[in-house]
PDB file of all heavy atoms in Angstrom:
ATOM      1  N   LEU J  97       6.329 -17.798   3.149  1.00 98.00           N
ATOM      2  CA  LEU J  97       5.323 -18.871   3.158  1.00 98.00           C
ATOM      3  C   LEU J  97       5.899 -20.142   3.779  1.00 98.00           C
ATOM      4  O   LEU J  97       5.187 -20.894   4.462  1.00 98.00           O
ATOM      5  CB  LEU J  97       4.826 -19.115   1.723  1.00 98.00           C
ATOM      6  CG  LEU J  97       3.966 -17.961   1.191  1.00 98.00           C
ATOM      7  CD1 LEU J  97       3.786 -18.059  -0.321  1.00 98.00           C
ATOM      8  CD2 LEU J  97       2.595 -17.922   1.871  1.00 98.00           C
ATOM      9  N   TRP J  98       7.179 -20.377   3.573  1.00 98.00           N
ATOM     10  CA  TRP J  98       7.840 -21.504   4.253  1.00 98.00           C
ATOM     11  C   TRP J  98       7.788 -21.284   5.765  1.00 98.00           C
ATOM     12  O   TRP J  98       7.447 -22.197   6.525  1.00 98.00           O
ATOM     13  CB  TRP J  98       9.291 -21.626   3.764  1.00 98.00           C
ATOM     14  CG  TRP J  98      10.000 -22.829   4.330  1.00 98.00           C
ATOM     15  CD1 TRP J  98      10.019 -24.095   3.824  1.00 98.00           C
ATOM     16  CD2 TRP J  98      10.793 -22.870   5.526  1.00 98.00           C
ATOM     17  NE1 TRP J  98      10.759 -24.925   4.629  1.00 98.00           N
ATOM     18  CE2 TRP J  98      11.252 -24.205   5.689  1.00 98.00           C
ATOM     19  CE3 TRP J  98      11.151 -21.919   6.486  1.00 98.00           C
ATOM     20  CZ2 TRP J  98      12.060 -24.601   6.760  1.00 98.00           C
ATOM     21  CZ3 TRP J  98      11.954 -22.314   7.562  1.00 98.00           C
ATOM     22  CH2 TRP J  98      12.402 -23.634   7.691  1.00 98.00           C
ATOM     23  N   LEU J  99       8.093 -20.068   6.182  1.00 98.00           N
ATOM     24  CA  LEU J  99       8.055 -19.765   7.614  1.00 98.00           C
ATOM     25  C   LEU J  99       6.639 -19.864   8.184  1.00 98.00           C
ATOM     26  O   LEU J  99       6.449 -20.311   9.316  1.00 98.00           O
ATOM     27  CB  LEU J  99       8.619 -18.362   7.886  1.00 98.00           C
ATOM     28  CG  LEU J  99      10.131 -18.218   7.769  1.00 98.00           C
ATOM     29  CD1 LEU J  99      10.538 -16.746   7.761  1.00 98.00           C
ATOM     30  CD2 LEU J  99      10.838 -18.953   8.927  1.00 98.00           C
ATOM     31  N   GLU J 100       5.651 -19.428   7.404  1.00 97.00           N
ATOM     32  CA  GLU J 100       4.268 -19.538   7.883  1.00 97.00           C
ATOM     33  C   GLU J 100       3.943 -20.981   8.263  1.00 97.00           C
ATOM     34  O   GLU J 100       3.210 -21.235   9.210  1.00 97.00           O
ATOM     35  CB  GLU J 100       3.279 -19.066   6.802  1.00 97.00           C
ATOM     36  CG  GLU J 100       3.110 -17.564   6.760  1.00 97.00           C
ATOM     37  CD  GLU J 100       2.058 -17.118   5.753  1.00 97.00           C
ATOM     38  OE1 GLU J 100       1.085 -17.862   5.489  1.00 97.00           O
ATOM     39  OE2 GLU J 100       2.208 -16.009   5.196  1.00 97.00           O
ATOM     40  N   ARG J 101       4.512 -21.920   7.501  1.00 97.00           N
ATOM     41  CA  ARG J 101       4.251 -23.336   7.745  1.00 97.00           C
ATOM     42  C   ARG J 101       5.120 -23.872   8.873  1.00 97.00           C
ATOM     43  O   ARG J 101       4.665 -24.618   9.728  1.00 97.00           O
ATOM     44  CB  ARG J 101       4.523 -24.096   6.447  1.00 97.00           C
ATOM     45  CG  ARG J 101       4.009 -25.526   6.422  1.00 97.00           C
ATOM     46  CD  ARG J 101       4.275 -26.156   5.052  1.00 97.00           C
ATOM     47  NE  ARG J 101       5.713 -26.297   4.812  1.00 97.00           N
ATOM     48  CZ  ARG J 101       6.266 -26.478   3.603  1.00 97.00           C
ATOM     49  NH1 ARG J 101       5.513 -26.499   2.510  1.00 97.00           N
ATOM     50  NH2 ARG J 101       7.559 -26.621   3.482  1.00 97.00           N
ATOM     51  N   GLU J 102       6.405 -23.469   8.867  1.00 97.00           N
ATOM     52  CA  GLU J 102       7.378 -24.103   9.770  1.00 97.00           C
ATOM     53  C   GLU J 102       7.637 -23.303  11.043  1.00 97.00           C
ATOM     54  O   GLU J 102       7.913 -23.884  12.090  1.00 97.00           O
ATOM     55  CB  GLU J 102       8.719 -24.302   9.025  1.00 97.00           C
ATOM     56  CG  GLU J 102       8.613 -25.054   7.709  1.00 97.00           C
ATOM     57  CD  GLU J 102       8.243 -26.527   7.920  1.00 97.00           C
ATOM     58  OE1 GLU J 102       8.512 -27.057   9.018  1.00 97.00           O
ATOM     59  OE2 GLU J 102       7.675 -27.138   6.977  1.00 97.00           O
ATOM     60  N   ARG J 103       7.646 -21.996  10.922  1.00 97.00           N
ATOM     61  CA  ARG J 103       7.975 -21.142  12.083  1.00 97.00           C
ATOM     62  C   ARG J 103       7.123 -19.885  12.063  1.00 97.00           C
ATOM     63  O   ARG J 103       7.641 -18.767  11.906  1.00 97.00           O
ATOM     64  CB  ARG J 103       9.470 -20.739  12.034  1.00 97.00           C
ATOM     65  CG  ARG J 103      10.471 -21.883  12.121  1.00 97.00           C
ATOM     66  CD  ARG J 103      10.518 -22.449  13.545  1.00 97.00           C
ATOM     67  NE  ARG J 103      10.808 -21.402  14.522  1.00 97.00           N
ATOM     68  CZ  ARG J 103      12.048 -20.972  14.822  1.00 97.00           C
ATOM     69  NH1 ARG J 103      13.104 -21.501  14.237  1.00 97.00           N
ATOM     70  NH2 ARG J 103      12.218 -20.036  15.734  1.00 97.00           N
ATOM     71  N   PRO J 104       5.813 -20.034  12.199  1.00 97.00           N
ATOM     72  CA  PRO J 104       4.910 -18.883  12.005  1.00 97.00           C
ATOM     73  C   PRO J 104       5.252 -17.689  12.904  1.00 97.00           C
ATOM     74  O   PRO J 104       4.994 -16.548  12.524  1.00 97.00           O
ATOM     75  CB  PRO J 104       3.518 -19.448  12.314  1.00 97.00           C
ATOM     76  CG  PRO J 104       3.730 -20.785  12.933  1.00 97.00           C
ATOM     77  CD  PRO J 104       5.074 -21.280  12.495  1.00 97.00           C
ATOM     78  N   ASP J 105       5.848 -17.946  14.050  1.00 97.00           N
ATOM     79  CA  ASP J 105       6.198 -16.837  14.946  1.00 97.00           C
ATOM     80  C   ASP J 105       7.321 -15.978  14.370  1.00 97.00           C
ATOM     81  O   ASP J 105       7.568 -14.877  14.868  1.00 97.00           O
ATOM     82  CB  ASP J 105       6.631 -17.386  16.311  1.00 97.00           C
ATOM     83  CG  ASP J 105       7.834 -18.312  16.184  1.00 97.00           C
ATOM     84  OD1 ASP J 105       7.801 -19.231  15.320  1.00 97.00           O
ATOM     85  OD2 ASP J 105       8.828 -18.107  16.906  1.00 97.00           O
ATOM     86  N   ARG J 106       8.014 -16.479  13.336  1.00 98.00           N
ATOM     87  CA  ARG J 106       9.173 -15.762  12.808  1.00 98.00           C
ATOM     88  C   ARG J 106       8.870 -14.993  11.519  1.00 98.00           C
ATOM     89  O   ARG J 106       9.772 -14.358  10.955  1.00 98.00           O
ATOM     90  CB  ARG J 106      10.337 -16.730  12.556  1.00 98.00           C
ATOM     91  CG  ARG J 106      10.742 -17.526  13.793  1.00 98.00           C
ATOM     92  CD  ARG J 106      11.234 -16.653  14.932  1.00 98.00           C
ATOM     93  NE  ARG J 106      12.590 -16.176  14.663  1.00 98.00           N
ATOM     94  CZ  ARG J 106      13.144 -15.116  15.240  1.00 98.00           C
ATOM     95  NH1 ARG J 106      12.443 -14.393  16.094  1.00 98.00           N
ATOM     96  NH2 ARG J 106      14.373 -14.755  14.951  1.00 98.00           N
ATOM     97  N   VAL J 107       7.642 -15.083  11.041  1.00 98.00           N
ATOM     98  CA  VAL J 107       7.326 -14.402   9.768  1.00 98.00           C
ATOM     99  C   VAL J 107       7.546 -12.894   9.896  1.00 98.00           C
ATOM    100  O   VAL J 107       8.209 -12.273   9.054  1.00 98.00           O
ATOM    101  CB  VAL J 107       5.878 -14.704   9.319  1.00 98.00           C
ATOM    102  CG1 VAL J 107       5.546 -13.907   8.052  1.00 98.00           C
ATOM    103  CG2 VAL J 107       5.687 -16.191   9.068  1.00 98.00           C
ATOM    104  N   GLY J 108       7.022 -12.301  10.947  1.00 98.00           N
ATOM    105  CA  GLY J 108       7.128 -10.848  11.119  1.00 98.00           C
ATOM    106  C   GLY J 108       8.562 -10.369  11.218  1.00 98.00           C
ATOM    107  O   GLY J 108       8.983  -9.484  10.455  1.00 98.00           O
ATOM    108  N   PRO J 109       9.348 -10.941  12.143  1.00 98.00           N
ATOM    109  CA  PRO J 109      10.749 -10.505  12.244  1.00 98.00           C
ATOM    110  C   PRO J 109      11.520 -10.696  10.936  1.00 98.00           C
ATOM    111  O   PRO J 109      12.317  -9.838  10.549  1.00 98.00           O
ATOM    112  CB  PRO J 109      11.316 -11.403  13.358  1.00 98.00           C
ATOM    113  CG  PRO J 109      10.125 -11.785  14.184  1.00 98.00           C
ATOM    114  CD  PRO J 109       8.970 -11.872  13.230  1.00 98.00           C
ATOM    115  N   PHE J 110      11.275 -11.819  10.246  1.00 98.00           N
ATOM    116  CA  PHE J 110      11.976 -12.063   8.991  1.00 98.00           C
ATOM    117  C   PHE J 110      11.549 -11.064   7.914  1.00 98.00           C
ATOM    118  O   PHE J 110      12.385 -10.433   7.259  1.00 98.00           O
ATOM    119  CB  PHE J 110      11.715 -13.496   8.516  1.00 98.00           C
ATOM    120  CG  PHE J 110      12.264 -13.783   7.149  1.00 98.00           C
ATOM    121  CD1 PHE J 110      13.635 -13.911   6.951  1.00 98.00           C
ATOM    122  CD2 PHE J 110      11.417 -13.903   6.058  1.00 98.00           C
ATOM    123  CE1 PHE J 110      14.153 -14.153   5.674  1.00 98.00           C
ATOM    124  CE2 PHE J 110      11.910 -14.144   4.787  1.00 98.00           C
ATOM    125  CZ  PHE J 110      13.284 -14.276   4.596  1.00 98.00           C
ATOM    126  N   ALA J 111      10.239 -10.909   7.758  1.00 98.00           N
ATOM    127  CA  ALA J 111       9.744 -10.003   6.714  1.00 98.00           C
ATOM    128  C   ALA J 111      10.238  -8.579   6.953  1.00 98.00           C
ATOM    129  O   ALA J 111      10.685  -7.899   6.019  1.00 98.00           O
ATOM    130  CB  ALA J 111       8.212 -10.038   6.676  1.00 98.00           C
ATOM    131  N   SER J 112      10.202  -8.123   8.188  1.00 98.00           N
ATOM    132  CA  SER J 112      10.645  -6.743   8.438  1.00 98.00           C
ATOM    133  C   SER J 112      12.145  -6.621   8.218  1.00 98.00           C
ATOM    134  O   SER J 112      12.633  -5.591   7.738  1.00 98.00           O
ATOM    135  CB  SER J 112      10.224  -6.280   9.831  1.00 98.00           C
ATOM    136  OG  SER J 112      10.774  -7.106  10.824  1.00 98.00           O
ATOM    137  N   SER J 113      12.899  -7.685   8.510  1.00 98.00           N
ATOM    138  CA  SER J 113      14.341  -7.645   8.241  1.00 98.00           C
ATOM    139  C   SER J 113      14.631  -7.587   6.749  1.00 98.00           C
ATOM    140  O   SER J 113      15.562  -6.902   6.307  1.00 98.00           O
ATOM    141  CB  SER J 113      15.021  -8.886   8.844  1.00 98.00           C
ATOM    142  OG  SER J 113      14.953  -8.839  10.254  1.00 98.00           O
ATOM    143  N   VAL J 114      13.858  -8.338   5.959  1.00 98.00           N
ATOM    144  CA  VAL J 114      14.070  -8.313   4.502  1.00 98.00           C
ATOM    145  C   VAL J 114      13.752  -6.920   3.959  1.00 98.00           C
ATOM    146  O   VAL J 114      14.489  -6.386   3.123  1.00 98.00           O
ATOM    147  CB  VAL J 114      13.216  -9.396   3.806  1.00 98.00           C
ATOM    148  CG1 VAL J 114      13.277  -9.232   2.288  1.00 98.00           C
ATOM    149  CG2 VAL J 114      13.689 -10.791   4.213  1.00 98.00           C
ATOM    150  N   LEU J 115      12.663  -6.324   4.423  1.00 98.00           N
ATOM    151  CA  LEU J 115      12.318  -4.972   3.959  1.00 98.00           C
ATOM    152  C   LEU J 115      13.442  -3.984   4.293  1.00 98.00           C
ATOM    153  O   LEU J 115      13.823  -3.155   3.458  1.00 98.00           O
ATOM    154  CB  LEU J 115      11.001  -4.511   4.588  1.00 98.00           C
ATOM    155  CG  LEU J 115       9.731  -5.092   3.955  1.00 98.00           C
ATOM    156  CD1 LEU J 115       8.535  -4.946   4.890  1.00 98.00           C
ATOM    157  CD2 LEU J 115       9.439  -4.403   2.614  1.00 98.00           C
ATOM    158  N   ARG J 116      13.959  -4.083   5.496  1.00 98.00           N
ATOM    159  CA  ARG J 116      15.055  -3.177   5.868  1.00 98.00           C
ATOM    160  C   ARG J 116      16.296  -3.457   5.025  1.00 98.00           C
ATOM    161  O   ARG J 116      16.966  -2.531   4.562  1.00 98.00           O
ATOM    162  CB  ARG J 116      15.392  -3.311   7.357  1.00 98.00           C
ATOM    163  CG  ARG J 116      14.361  -2.657   8.259  1.00 98.00           C
ATOM    164  CD  ARG J 116      14.932  -2.334   9.652  1.00 98.00           C
ATOM    165  NE  ARG J 116      15.556  -3.517  10.255  1.00 98.00           N
ATOM    166  CZ  ARG J 116      14.884  -4.433  10.952  1.00 98.00           C
ATOM    167  NH1 ARG J 116      13.593  -4.314  11.137  1.00 98.00           N
ATOM    168  NH2 ARG J 116      15.512  -5.475  11.459  1.00 98.00           N
TER     169      ARG J 116
END
Side-chain angles (χ1 to χ4, degrees):
Chain J
L97 290 166
W98 185 88
L99 286 168
E100 278 184 30
R101 193 177 66 198
E102 306 291 336
R103 298 287 305 276
D105 59 311
R106 304 298 284 159
V107 176
F110 173 72
S112 60
S113 293
V114 172
L115 282 162
R116 285 201 308 274

